Amino acid sequence: MNRKSPRGSAALTGLKVVASLLFLTGTLLAADPVVSNVQGLQRPGTKLVDITYDVTADTPTVAVTLRISSDGGTTFSVPATTLTGAVGANVPVGTGKVITWNAGTDWLGNYSTAMRFEVKVDDGVVPKPEEFAYIAAGALPASSWAGAQAVNAFFMGKTEVTWDEWQTVRSWAAANGYDIGSVGAGTGPNRPVTNVTWYHALKWCNARSEKEGLRPVYKIDTAIYRTGDSVPTVDATANGYRLPSEKEWEFAARGGVRTNGYEYSGSSDVNAVAWYVNNSGNSTQDVATKLANELGISDMSGNVWEWCFDIYSGSNRVLRGGSWFSNADDCRVANRSGGNPTYSLYFIGFRVARSSVP
């Protein structure tokens, strides 16, 4: 993840260059990488420009790229291909780093008084979206439905998708080739969306990914899945939104590697963590109003049943967590259920996950 920093200037012989600094923010498990002390200097009598900088990070090496602008940073179209020094992959962190740009080769005969150098650094650490919990890799207990399955690291939504969130993406989707423009229901803006089929949930995930500039997960052949009731393929390298797998769902509901072994998600007292038939008032309730679990995730017991991607039996898909309409037994983290992917019911919703990839 790269963000621009404040800029400093340096006048050079034959060129006037302003070097832009870049700081990285929002990293997951490490302090933010920082680029500082960026300066540019043309070597006297040559067409070589040295760009110096310092970089600190919690990783031993970083990837460094350089872009060059001749119009004050409006566009970065000046060729920056003949580079040597501290640029590219696996650059050790430290001070006094130097990138040498051969302007004579890349930009011979050109001149500007509004140059900008943009130095970017990437430590390779995946940023955590604010509304997501990071689920460290681990394994389900042997007592789980299919034994002690390994679970890779991923991100899980802290709440179920709300009616307000659904509508925001649905409006964008309707204008961009999706067929979910009139589906879904909700009893309040911060209550879970309901009346969405498994197919609707997948297409909404793709629409949100496209809307936010991420790579959609679900495909029909090579095309983005936007219409119809089809079982798509999964692009495992995509960084967009998706339904969790069943083992991901259960691992997160149990508290991941921080688990306390509770019967429900976050407690062995169902009333502390779940909206279910005995306390819901016969309706969904605002998300995150009950106690969160060990990972800061809410409503994985109760409120609405949640679609997972996996097959339950035949063509049915997995449903997990119980709902406002369920008894306490259905809200246990070990409980499994399933439904036809075309079901659109007032007690079924979903939450989204993201893979731990850039």
Side-chain angles (χ1 to χ4, degrees), residues 13-62:
T13 304
L15 289 172
K16 186 176 180 180
V17 177
V18 177
S20 84
L21 291 64
L22 268 143
F23 297 81
L24 296 195
T25 60
T27 51
L28 179 62
L29 300 176
D32 298 340
V34 176
V35 178
S36 59
N37 299 325
V38 176
Q39 298 183 40
L41 182 64
Q42 184 174 355
R43 296 185 193 177
T46 76
K47 300 294 185 181
L48 301 178
V49 179
D50 294 321
I51 299 97
T52 61
Y53 65 94
D54 300 336
V55 58
T56 60
D58 283 355
T59 53
T61 63
V62 292

Short mmCIF file of all heavy atoms in Angstrom, two decimals, residues 13-62:
data_model
loop_
_atom_site.label_atom_id
_atom_site.label_comp_id
_atom_site.label_asym_id
_atom_site.label_seq_id
_atom_site.Cartn_x
_atom_site.Cartn_y
_atom_site.Cartn_z
N THR A 13 21.70 21.64 -11.39
CA THR A 13 22.29 22.22 -12.59
C THR A 13 21.63 21.63 -13.83
O THR A 13 21.64 20.42 -14.03
CB THR A 13 23.80 21.92 -12.63
OG1 THR A 13 24.39 22.41 -11.43
CG2 THR A 13 24.44 22.55 -13.84
N GLY A 14 21.02 22.48 -14.64
CA GLY A 14 20.41 22.02 -15.88
C GLY A 14 19.02 21.44 -15.72
O GLY A 14 18.31 21.27 -16.69
N LEU A 15 18.65 21.09 -14.51
CA LEU A 15 17.31 20.58 -14.24
C LEU A 15 16.85 21.16 -12.92
O LEU A 15 17.66 21.38 -12.01
CB LEU A 15 17.32 19.05 -14.12
CG LEU A 15 17.53 18.21 -15.37
CD1 LEU A 15 17.69 16.75 -14.96
CD2 LEU A 15 16.36 18.36 -16.32
N LYS A 16 15.57 21.40 -12.82
CA LYS A 16 15.01 21.78 -11.52
C LYS A 16 14.12 20.63 -11.08
O LYS A 16 13.14 20.31 -11.73
CB LYS A 16 14.20 23.06 -11.61
CG LYS A 16 13.72 23.56 -10.24
CD LYS A 16 13.00 24.87 -10.36
CE LYS A 16 12.54 25.34 -8.99
NZ LYS A 16 11.81 26.62 -9.07
N VAL A 17 14.48 20.00 -9.96
CA VAL A 17 13.81 18.79 -9.54
C VAL A 17 13.20 18.98 -8.17
O VAL A 17 13.82 19.56 -7.28
CB VAL A 17 14.82 17.61 -9.49
CG1 VAL A 17 14.14 16.35 -8.97
CG2 VAL A 17 15.40 17.37 -10.87
N VAL A 18 11.96 18.53 -8.00
CA VAL A 18 11.35 18.44 -6.68
C VAL A 18 11.16 16.96 -6.39
O VAL A 18 10.53 16.25 -7.16
CB VAL A 18 10.00 19.17 -6.62
CG1 VAL A 18 9.37 18.99 -5.26
CG2 VAL A 18 10.20 20.65 -6.92
N ALA A 19 11.75 16.49 -5.31
CA ALA A 19 11.64 15.08 -4.97
C ALA A 19 10.48 14.88 -4.02
O ALA A 19 10.37 15.58 -3.03
CB ALA A 19 12.94 14.61 -4.30
N SER A 20 9.60 13.95 -4.34
CA SER A 20 8.46 13.71 -3.46
C SER A 20 8.75 12.53 -2.56
O SER A 20 9.25 11.50 -3.01
CB SER A 20 7.19 13.47 -4.26
OG SER A 20 7.07 12.16 -4.65
N LEU A 21 8.45 12.66 -1.27
CA LEU A 21 8.66 11.61 -0.29
C LEU A 21 7.38 10.82 -0.17
O LEU A 21 6.29 11.35 -0.32
CB LEU A 21 8.98 12.22 1.07
CG LEU A 21 10.32 12.93 1.29
CD1 LEU A 21 10.45 14.16 0.43
CD2 LEU A 21 10.46 13.29 2.76
N LEU A 22 7.52 9.54 0.14
CA LEU A 22 6.35 8.70 0.33
C LEU A 22 6.43 7.93 1.63
O LEU A 22 7.46 7.33 1.93
CB LEU A 22 6.19 7.73 -0.84
CG LEU A 22 5.32 8.33 -1.91
CD1 LEU A 22 5.78 7.97 -3.28
CD2 LEU A 22 3.90 7.91 -1.68
N PHE A 23 5.36 7.96 2.39
CA PHE A 23 5.25 7.18 3.61
C PHE A 23 4.20 6.11 3.40
O PHE A 23 3.19 6.33 2.75
CB PHE A 23 4.82 8.06 4.79
CG PHE A 23 5.80 9.14 5.11
CD1 PHE A 23 5.82 10.32 4.38
CD2 PHE A 23 6.69 8.97 6.15
CE1 PHE A 23 6.73 11.32 4.69
CE2 PHE A 23 7.59 9.98 6.46
CZ PHE A 23 7.62 11.15 5.73
N LEU A 24 4.41 4.93 3.97
CA LEU A 24 3.41 3.87 3.89
C LEU A 24 2.69 3.80 5.22
O LEU A 24 3.32 3.81 6.27
CB LEU A 24 4.08 2.53 3.60
CG LEU A 24 4.79 2.43 2.27
CD1 LEU A 24 5.08 0.98 1.95
CD2 LEU A 24 3.97 3.03 1.16
N THR A 25 1.37 3.70 5.17
CA THR A 25 0.58 3.65 6.39
C THR A 25 -0.40 2.50 6.32
O THR A 25 -0.68 1.95 5.27
CB THR A 25 -0.21 4.95 6.59
OG1 THR A 25 -1.07 5.14 5.46
CG2 THR A 25 0.72 6.13 6.70
N GLY A 26 -0.94 2.13 7.50
CA GLY A 26 -1.99 1.12 7.54
C GLY A 26 -1.49 -0.30 7.43
O GLY A 26 -2.23 -1.19 7.05
N THR A 27 -0.25 -0.59 7.81
CA THR A 27 0.23 -1.96 7.74
C THR A 27 -0.37 -2.79 8.85
O THR A 27 -0.86 -2.29 9.84
CB THR A 27 1.76 -2.00 7.83
OG1 THR A 27 2.17 -1.26 8.97
CG2 THR A 27 2.40 -1.42 6.60
N LEU A 28 -0.30 -4.11 8.68
CA LEU A 28 -1.04 -5.01 9.53
C LEU A 28 -0.33 -5.35 10.83
O LEU A 28 -0.87 -5.19 11.90
CB LEU A 28 -1.32 -6.28 8.74
CG LEU A 28 -2.08 -7.37 9.48
CD1 LEU A 28 -3.44 -6.85 9.88
CD2 LEU A 28 -2.19 -8.60 8.63
N LEU A 29 0.87 -5.85 10.75
CA LEU A 29 1.55 -6.35 11.93
C LEU A 29 2.86 -5.63 12.19
O LEU A 29 3.62 -6.02 13.05
CB LEU A 29 1.82 -7.86 11.78
CG LEU A 29 0.58 -8.73 11.60
CD1 LEU A 29 0.99 -10.17 11.37
CD2 LEU A 29 -0.31 -8.63 12.83
N ALA A 30 3.18 -4.60 11.46
CA ALA A 30 4.44 -3.90 11.60
C ALA A 30 4.20 -2.41 11.58
O ALA A 30 3.16 -1.93 11.14
CB ALA A 30 5.38 -4.30 10.46
N ALA A 31 5.20 -1.66 12.10
CA ALA A 31 5.11 -0.21 12.01
C ALA A 31 5.19 0.22 10.56
O ALA A 31 5.73 -0.49 9.71
CB ALA A 31 6.26 0.42 12.82
N ASP A 32 4.66 1.41 10.28
CA ASP A 32 4.61 1.88 8.91
C ASP A 32 6.00 2.19 8.37
O ASP A 32 6.79 2.87 9.02
CB ASP A 32 3.78 3.17 8.82
CG ASP A 32 2.35 2.96 9.24
OD1 ASP A 32 1.90 1.81 9.23
OD2 ASP A 32 1.69 3.95 9.59
N PRO A 33 6.35 1.71 7.18
CA PRO A 33 7.61 2.12 6.54
C PRO A 33 7.59 3.62 6.30
O PRO A 33 6.55 4.20 6.00
CB PRO A 33 7.61 1.35 5.22
CG PRO A 33 6.64 0.25 5.41
CD PRO A 33 5.60 0.77 6.35
N VAL A 34 8.74 4.25 6.41
CA VAL A 34 8.85 5.70 6.23
C VAL A 34 10.03 6.02 5.32
O VAL A 34 11.15 5.55 5.55
CB VAL A 34 9.03 6.42 7.58
CG1 VAL A 34 9.24 7.92 7.36
CG2 VAL A 34 7.83 6.19 8.48
N VAL A 35 9.78 6.81 4.29
CA VAL A 35 10.83 7.35 3.43
C VAL A 35 11.07 8.80 3.85
O VAL A 35 10.12 9.56 4.02
CB VAL A 35 10.41 7.30 1.95
CG1 VAL A 35 11.50 7.92 1.07
CG2 VAL A 35 10.12 5.88 1.52
N SER A 36 12.33 9.17 4.01
CA SER A 36 12.64 10.54 4.44
C SER A 36 13.93 11.03 3.78
O SER A 36 14.64 10.26 3.12
CB SER A 36 12.80 10.59 5.97
OG SER A 36 13.84 9.72 6.40
N ASN A 37 14.19 12.32 3.95
CA ASN A 37 15.43 12.95 3.46
C ASN A 37 15.69 12.70 1.97
O ASN A 37 16.81 12.41 1.55
CB ASN A 37 16.64 12.46 4.28
CG ASN A 37 16.52 12.81 5.74
OD1 ASN A 37 15.99 13.88 6.08
ND2 ASN A 37 16.99 11.93 6.61
N VAL A 38 14.63 12.82 1.19
CA VAL A 38 14.78 12.64 -0.26
C VAL A 38 15.41 13.89 -0.87
O VAL A 38 14.95 15.01 -0.64
CB VAL A 38 13.42 12.36 -0.92
CG1 VAL A 38 13.58 12.27 -2.43
CG2 VAL A 38 12.80 11.09 -0.36
N GLN A 39 16.46 13.70 -1.64
CA GLN A 39 17.13 14.82 -2.32
C GLN A 39 17.57 14.38 -3.72
O GLN A 39 17.81 13.19 -3.95
CB GLN A 39 18.37 15.27 -1.53
CG GLN A 39 18.06 15.78 -0.14
CD GLN A 39 19.30 16.27 0.58
OE1 GLN A 39 20.15 16.92 -0.03
NE2 GLN A 39 19.40 15.96 1.86
N GLY A 40 17.62 15.32 -4.64
CA GLY A 40 18.09 15.03 -5.98
C GLY A 40 19.26 15.93 -6.35
O GLY A 40 19.28 17.12 -6.01
N LEU A 41 20.23 15.37 -7.02
CA LEU A 41 21.40 16.15 -7.42
C LEU A 41 21.94 15.63 -8.75
O LEU A 41 22.23 14.44 -8.89
CB LEU A 41 22.50 16.05 -6.36
CG LEU A 41 23.77 16.87 -6.64
CD1 LEU A 41 23.46 18.36 -6.65
CD2 LEU A 41 24.85 16.55 -5.61
N GLN A 42 22.04 16.56 -9.74
CA GLN A 42 22.62 16.19 -11.02
C GLN A 42 24.14 16.24 -10.92
O GLN A 42 24.73 17.19 -10.40
CB GLN A 42 22.15 17.14 -12.12
CG GLN A 42 22.63 16.75 -13.51
CD GLN A 42 22.04 17.63 -14.59
OE1 GLN A 42 21.20 18.47 -14.30
NE2 GLN A 42 22.48 17.42 -15.82
N ARG A 43 24.80 15.21 -11.40
CA ARG A 43 26.26 15.18 -11.37
C ARG A 43 26.79 16.21 -12.36
O ARG A 43 26.39 16.21 -13.54
CB ARG A 43 26.79 13.80 -11.72
CG ARG A 43 26.42 12.72 -10.74
CD ARG A 43 27.09 11.40 -11.11
NE ARG A 43 26.51 10.28 -10.38
CZ ARG A 43 26.87 9.02 -10.56
NH1 ARG A 43 27.81 8.72 -11.47
NH2 ARG A 43 26.30 8.06 -9.86
N PRO A 44 27.67 17.10 -11.92
CA PRO A 44 28.18 18.15 -12.81
C PRO A 44 28.78 17.58 -14.09
O PRO A 44 29.53 16.60 -14.07
CB PRO A 44 29.27 18.83 -11.96
CG PRO A 44 28.86 18.56 -10.54
CD PRO A 44 28.24 17.20 -10.57
N GLY A 45 28.39 18.18 -15.21
CA GLY A 45 28.93 17.79 -16.50
C GLY A 45 28.41 16.49 -17.05
O GLY A 45 28.93 15.97 -18.03
N THR A 46 27.38 15.93 -16.41
CA THR A 46 26.81 14.66 -16.89
C THR A 46 25.29 14.79 -16.99
O THR A 46 24.70 15.77 -16.58
CB THR A 46 27.13 13.50 -15.93
OG1 THR A 46 26.30 13.58 -14.77
CG2 THR A 46 28.60 13.53 -15.50
N LYS A 47 24.68 13.74 -17.53
CA LYS A 47 23.22 13.65 -17.57
C LYS A 47 22.70 12.67 -16.52
O LYS A 47 21.60 12.16 -16.62
CB LYS A 47 22.76 13.18 -18.96
CG LYS A 47 23.18 14.11 -20.10
CD LYS A 47 22.48 15.45 -20.00
CE LYS A 47 22.82 16.31 -21.23
NZ LYS A 47 22.17 17.65 -21.15
N LEU A 48 23.51 12.39 -15.50
CA LEU A 48 23.12 11.48 -14.44
C LEU A 48 22.54 12.26 -13.26
O LEU A 48 23.10 13.29 -12.86
CB LEU A 48 24.31 10.65 -13.97
CG LEU A 48 25.00 9.78 -15.03
CD1 LEU A 48 26.20 9.07 -14.41
CD2 LEU A 48 24.02 8.77 -15.62
N VAL A 49 21.44 11.78 -12.71
CA VAL A 49 20.80 12.40 -11.56
C VAL A 49 20.77 11.38 -10.42
O VAL A 49 20.26 10.27 -10.59
CB VAL A 49 19.37 12.86 -11.89
CG1 VAL A 49 18.72 13.49 -10.66
CG2 VAL A 49 19.38 13.84 -13.05
N ASP A 50 21.31 11.76 -9.28
CA ASP A 50 21.29 10.91 -8.10
C ASP A 50 20.15 11.33 -7.17
O ASP A 50 20.08 12.50 -6.76
CB ASP A 50 22.61 10.99 -7.33
CG ASP A 50 23.78 10.41 -8.12
OD1 ASP A 50 23.57 9.39 -8.80
OD2 ASP A 50 24.88 10.98 -8.05
N ILE A 51 19.26 10.39 -6.86
CA ILE A 51 18.18 10.64 -5.92
C ILE A 51 18.52 9.86 -4.65
O ILE A 51 18.63 8.63 -4.67
CB ILE A 51 16.82 10.18 -6.47
CG1 ILE A 51 16.47 10.94 -7.75
CG2 ILE A 51 15.71 10.38 -5.45
CD1 ILE A 51 16.81 10.19 -9.00
N THR A 52 18.75 10.57 -3.56
CA THR A 52 19.11 9.93 -2.29
C THR A 52 17.91 9.94 -1.35
O THR A 52 17.08 10.85 -1.38
CB THR A 52 20.30 10.62 -1.63
OG1 THR A 52 19.96 11.98 -1.36
CG2 THR A 52 21.52 10.58 -2.54
N TYR A 53 17.85 8.95 -0.48
CA TYR A 53 16.75 8.88 0.48
C TYR A 53 17.14 7.94 1.62
O TYR A 53 18.09 7.16 1.54
CB TYR A 53 15.46 8.36 -0.20
CG TYR A 53 15.54 6.93 -0.70
CD1 TYR A 53 15.11 5.86 0.08
CD2 TYR A 53 16.07 6.63 -1.95
CE1 TYR A 53 15.20 4.56 -0.36
CE2 TYR A 53 16.15 5.33 -2.42
CZ TYR A 53 15.72 4.29 -1.61
OH TYR A 53 15.81 2.99 -2.05
N ASP A 54 16.40 8.04 2.72
CA ASP A 54 16.50 7.12 3.84
C ASP A 54 15.18 6.35 3.93
O ASP A 54 14.12 6.90 3.62
CB ASP A 54 16.72 7.84 5.17
CG ASP A 54 18.01 8.69 5.17
OD1 ASP A 54 18.92 8.38 4.40
OD2 ASP A 54 18.07 9.64 5.97
N VAL A 55 15.23 5.11 4.39
CA VAL A 55 14.00 4.34 4.57
C VAL A 55 14.11 3.49 5.83
O VAL A 55 15.14 2.85 6.08
CB VAL A 55 13.69 3.46 3.34
CG1 VAL A 55 14.82 2.49 3.02
CG2 VAL A 55 12.37 2.72 3.54
N THR A 56 13.07 3.52 6.62
CA THR A 56 12.97 2.66 7.80
C THR A 56 11.73 1.78 7.65
O THR A 56 10.72 2.20 7.09
CB THR A 56 12.87 3.48 9.09
OG1 THR A 56 11.71 4.31 9.04
CG2 THR A 56 14.10 4.34 9.28
N ALA A 57 11.81 0.55 8.17
CA ALA A 57 10.68 -0.38 8.12
C ALA A 57 10.95 -1.49 9.12
O ALA A 57 12.08 -1.69 9.56
CB ALA A 57 10.50 -0.95 6.72
N ASP A 58 9.91 -2.22 9.49
CA ASP A 58 10.08 -3.37 10.37
C ASP A 58 10.47 -4.62 9.62
O ASP A 58 10.73 -5.66 10.22
CB ASP A 58 8.79 -3.62 11.15
CG ASP A 58 8.61 -2.65 12.31
OD1 ASP A 58 9.54 -1.84 12.55
OD2 ASP A 58 7.56 -2.68 12.97
N THR A 59 10.49 -4.54 8.30
CA THR A 59 10.98 -5.64 7.48
C THR A 59 12.42 -5.33 7.07
O THR A 59 12.79 -4.16 6.94
CB THR A 59 10.11 -5.81 6.23
OG1 THR A 59 10.01 -4.56 5.54
CG2 THR A 59 8.72 -6.28 6.61
N PRO A 60 13.26 -6.34 6.87
CA PRO A 60 14.67 -6.07 6.56
C PRO A 60 14.89 -5.49 5.18
O PRO A 60 15.87 -4.79 4.94
CB PRO A 60 15.35 -7.44 6.69
CG PRO A 60 14.24 -8.43 6.49
CD PRO A 60 13.01 -7.79 7.07
N THR A 61 13.99 -5.80 4.25
CA THR A 61 14.10 -5.28 2.89
C THR A 61 12.75 -4.74 2.44
O THR A 61 11.70 -5.10 2.99
CB THR A 61 14.56 -6.36 1.89
OG1 THR A 61 13.59 -7.40 1.84
CG2 THR A 61 15.93 -6.92 2.29
N VAL A 62 12.79 -3.88 1.43
CA VAL A 62 11.57 -3.32 0.86
C VAL A 62 11.72 -3.29 -0.66
O VAL A 62 12.82 -3.42 -1.19
CB VAL A 62 11.31 -1.89 1.37
CG1 VAL A 62 10.95 -1.90 2.85
CG2 VAL A 62 12.51 -0.98 1.12
#
